[in-house]
Amino acid sequence: MKQGGVWSAAIRPGALGEADTLRVERMAQIAHEGRQGPLGLRFDHVGLLVFPSSVEAALAGQPVVRTLPSVVVRERLARRYELDGLAVTIAHLDVGHGRTLELFLATGCPEEIADDERLHNRETHLAFEAPTAGLEVLESLRADGYRPDGGGFNPAEGANGRSVFYFKAGGGGDCVEIVAAGQARAELERHLGAGEERRRMLELLTGAWTTQALRTAAELGIADRLLGRDLSLEDLAATLGCPADRLARLVRYLEQLGVVASAGGLVTLTQLGATLARASSFSLHGVALLYGGLFYHSFGHLPGAVQTGTSGFELAYGTAPFDYLEAHADQARVFQLAMSDQCRDIFDAVAASLDLTGITTVTDIGGGSGALLGRILDAAPHVRGLLFDTPATVAVAEPDLIARHGDRITTIGGDLFSCVPGGDLLVLSRILHDWDDDACARILSRCRQACREGARLAIVERLLPQQPDRPSLATAWDVHMMVNNTGGRERTLDDYRDLLQAAGFTLTSHTGLPLEAHLLEAVAH
C-alpha cells in the first residue's frame, strides 16, 4: 500500500515467508524510485518471483492494478525444474508515479525449488518499455554486451498482448526485461534463437567435454589431492606434476561446473567435486573412469547401434562386453569399482528395506564384488550369504569378502544361464537390464528352478516411466544399455511384472530407492 506517496508493503502474516516479504519490500522501493533505462527507455516496472501460501492471501489489501496468468516465467520454471502443472499468477501492484511492482506468484512449488530461486534471483529484473516500431534497441543492447536470456509473448497482457525480451547484463549486472505492446514475432524468433535455445544446444553438444573434464579430475587425482584440504594452484600443479598454466585452464572449467571453487588464491573441492575422490564416502570415482574411458569410446558408435542392431560396444571393441571384461582384468576392475560406487546409497537402502525375518540364506546372483551382499550381511547378523558370478569375478571378490565376513559367506563361480544356486532370498541387482526379454526369461527360469515355492526374489532396477514424456534417469540408461550391452534395455514396472509371472513368480511390492532405482520383490508360486 502507499503511505504519504511512499510505497510500504503490508503483507498479511503467513501469506509470504519472511524472506519473500523482505524481497517484496526491497523491490517495491526500487520500483517507486525508478531507474534510468538503457538507451533512454522508459522505466516500466520491477519483477520478482515469490512463493505465497495462496495468491489471494498475498494480494489481500494490496494496490493491485491487474492480475493475469503467467506464460513466460511459468514455462521457464517448468523447463528449469521439469515441473508439470505449475501455477504462476502475475500481479501488478501500484507503487506510484505510474510504476508497478510485478509479482510472479508461484504456488505449490517444492520448498527446495523456492529456495533455489531465492538464492539465484533468476526471475528478478528491471523492466523498460520500448515502442513496437523501435525494436532496433534490442540489437543495440546486444551490441552493448547484454546477453539474450529468453522471452515470449503473453497474450493476456494489454489490449493486444505484450512481447517480452529478457537480457542478462554483462559483468553480472541486473537482469533486464524489455517489453513492447503486441506480438513482435520476428524479433522474438531472432531473440530466442540467438539466446536460450542455441546456447542450450551448445551446452548439450559440449557434454562430451564435461565428461572428459570430470574424468580428468578423477584420473589425475585432482579431487583426491583436494579432499579435506585447500591448495594453491601452484602447489596442486606440483603434486600432480602438471604445468600450472594448463592446470589453471582446467580448474577454471571445473569451477564453472561446480566441482571446485577458488578464493584467496586457494582451490577448494566442493561437495559435488568430492564425489570424484576415491576416499569420499559418496565416491563416483570409478564411474568417472568407466564413463569417461571404456564406455566413452563405445558411445561414439551410437549411430551404428541404432542402425544395425549391434551394440556400440561390439562395434568399438569387436566383442561382447562381458567377454571383453573377462579378457581384460584391468578394465574389469574399473567396471566393478564403477558398479559399486554407483550403487553405494542404493545398496544401503536395499539392505534397510528388505525384511529378512525368517531368511537364513541370501543368494546374490551376478553380485560382482559382493558389495550389496556385504551390506545385507552387515544389516542381518543371522543371515548367511552366497555370492554367485563368473569364476573370474568371484575369484577377485572372495578374499575381501571372507576377510570381512568369515564363514558367513560362500562364493560360487558359474553361468547364470545354466544353473544358479538356491536360497531363501535370491537377489538380482541390476542384472536383468543387461539382457533382452528371452535372456531374462531364461535367467528367471533358472532362479525359479533353484528355489522352493514361497521363496522370495528381490530385483533392483531402474524403471522406465509409464508415460514416455516423463523425465527419468532410466530413459538415458536405456540408450546406454543399447550401446554397452548385447540386447540390454530398461523396462517399465508392467514389463517386469509380466516377465516374473511367466517365470513362476508373483510381484508383491516395489519400493523407490535413491537415484531413481527401485526394489521389486516377488514370491515363487
Side-chain angles (χ1 to χ4, degrees):
M1 61 189 341
K2 288 181 287 184
Q3 297 178 346
V6 178
W7 197 91
S8 174
I11 305 293
R12 285 188 175 183
L16 286 177
E18 181 180 357
D20 277 349
T21 299
L22 292 174
R23 293 167 71 232
V24 168
E25 292 175 346
R26 184 166 56 250
M27 294 302 290
Q29 191 62 39
I30 292 173
H32 178 78
E33 295 169 355
R35 291 289 176 93
Q36 178 65 42
L39 305 174
L41 296 180
R42 186 189 73 82
F43 182 89
D44 189 79
H45 66 268
V46 298
L48 180 67
L49 174 64
V50 294
F51 303 89
S53 56
S54 75
V55 172
E56 294 77 13
L59 297 182
Q62 300 302 317
V64 178
V65 177
R66 63 183 179 276
T67 62
L68 60 151
S70 169
V71 174
V72 178
V73 170
R74 185 195 68 220
E75 291 178 352
R76 284 160 64 97
L77 288 171
R79 287 196 303 270
R80 191 176 299 145
Y81 298 104
E82 298 181 337
L83 293 174
D84 290 333
L86 184 65
V88 181
T89 298
I90 300 174
H92 284 266
L93 307 185
D94 181 11
V95 296
H97 305 298
R99 307 182 187 114
T100 62
L101 167 62
E102 181 182 40
L103 292 181
F104 300 98
L105 302 124
T107 55
C109 273
E111 190 58 33
E112 60 268 21
I113 290 178
D115 287 342
D116 186 64
E117 284 299 315
R118 293 187 189 104
L119 175 65
H120 294 98
N121 280 319
R122 296 185 185 93
E123 302 303 335
T124 302
H125 60 264
L126 304 178
F128 304 91
E129 185 177 33
T132 305
L135 285 179
E136 64 274 2
V137 299
L138 300 176
E139 182 58 38
S140 297
L141 286 171
R142 288 190 282 266
D144 286 347
Y146 285 83
R147 179 165 57 82
D149 189 40
F153 175 67
N154 194 333
E157 190 166 357
N160 299 306
R162 233 178 180 192
S163 296
V164 176
F165 304 85
Y166 287 111
F167 288 89
K168 284 187 177 177
D174 292 323
C175 294
V176 172
E177 175 186 348
I178 305 299
V179 295
Q183 185 173 16
R185 188 186 303 275
E187 286 294 342
L188 276 172
E189 288 180 355
R190 183 182 178 194
H191 182 77
L192 294 174
E196 189 170 311
E197 302 305 327
R198 285 170 57 82
R199 179 181 175 84
R200 173 61 179 148
M201 182 52 69
L202 279 175
E203 290 174 346
L204 293 173
L205 290 170
T206 57
W209 305 353
T210 299
T211 299
Q212 290 303 322
L214 298 176
R215 172 202 176 186
T216 301
E219 185 172 299
L220 296 187
I222 294 173
D224 295 326
R225 301 298 196 283
L226 293 173
L227 185 65
R229 61 173 179 167
D230 302 342
L231 293 174
S232 69
L233 184 68
E234 291 72 19
D235 288 343
L236 180 59
T239 63
L240 296 174
C242 298
D245 64 327
R246 301 185 77 81
L247 180 63
R249 294 159 68 178
L250 174 60
V251 165
R252 183 170 56 201
Y253 186 28
L254 293 173
E255 185 169 8
Q256 181 176 304
L257 297 174
V259 173
V260 300
S262 60
L266 296 177
V267 182
T268 301
L269 193 65
T270 67
Q271 188 171 355
L272 174 65
T275 62
L276 297 176
R278 292 174 178 87
S280 169
S281 57
F282 304 102
S283 179
L284 290 171
H285 178 86
V287 180
L289 299 184
L290 180 65
Y291 288 4
L294 189 70
F295 286 172
Y296 187 84
H297 181 45
S298 57
F299 239 102
H301 292 267
L302 176 58
V306 173
Q307 291 175 314
T308 67
T310 302
S311 75
F313 194 98
E314 291 172 281
L315 293 172
Y317 299 105
T319 186
F322 293 114
D323 292 338
Y324 181 91
L325 293 174
E326 281 284 320
H328 296 80
D330 56 336
Q331 293 293 343
R333 283 191 293 272
V334 172
F335 177 83
Q336 291 298 343
L337 175 61
M339 296 304 101
S340 297
D341 281 355
Q342 187 178 158
C343 294
R344 287 181 184 213
D345 39 3
I346 296 175
F347 288 170
D348 288 339
V350 171
S353 300
L354 284 171
D355 180 3
L356 298 175
T357 304
I359 298 296
T360 301
T361 303
V362 175
T363 302
D364 192 355
I365 299 169
S369 66
L372 173 56
L373 186 58
R375 302 269 209 305
I376 293 172
L377 295 185
D378 288 340
H382 67 283
V383 168
R384 295 180 59 83
L386 194 159
L387 177 69
F388 179 79
D389 210 307
T390 65
T393 299
V394 299
V396 173
E398 185 176 51
D400 288 341
L401 292 173
I402 291 178
R404 182 175 173 184
H405 301 287
D407 62 2
R408 290 180 62 206
I409 199 159
T410 304
T411 63
I412 298 178
D415 176 9
L416 81 170
F417 290 105
S418 300
C419 181
V420 302
D424 303 311
L425 171 64
L426 275 59
V427 178
L428 288 168
S429 175
R430 307 200 66 200
I431 299 300
L432 296 180
H433 77 156
D434 288 338
W435 306 99
D436 62 22
D437 287 351
D438 289 341
C440 286
R442 290 178 5 230
I443 294 169
L444 290 171
S445 176
R446 297 296 176 264
C447 291
R448 182 62 186 90
Q449 292 167 8
C451 65
R452 56 175 173 79
E453 183 176 344
R456 292 163 55 194
L457 173 66
I459 295 172
V460 178
E461 294 288 357
R462 288 194 174 95
L463 299 178
L464 284 171
Q466 293 293 142
Q467 297 81 23
D469 61 336
R470 298 287 294 183
S472 168
L473 286 177
T475 303
W477 255 261
D478 189 39
V479 176
H480 166 65
M481 301 313 295
M482 177 170 59
V483 171
N484 287 306
N485 284 84
T486 303
R489 65 186 310 124
E490 304 294 350
R491 296 176 172 84
T492 66
L493 180 63
D494 286 344
D495 291 334
Y496 282 114
R497 180 183 285 109
D498 293 344
L499 285 170
L500 288 165
Q501 185 66 33
F505 293 94
T506 299
L507 181 67
T508 57
S509 68
H510 78 280
T511 305
L513 300 171
L515 299 178
E516 298 184 26
H518 286 259
L519 171 63
L520 313 184
E521 297 191 67
V523 175
H525 60 246

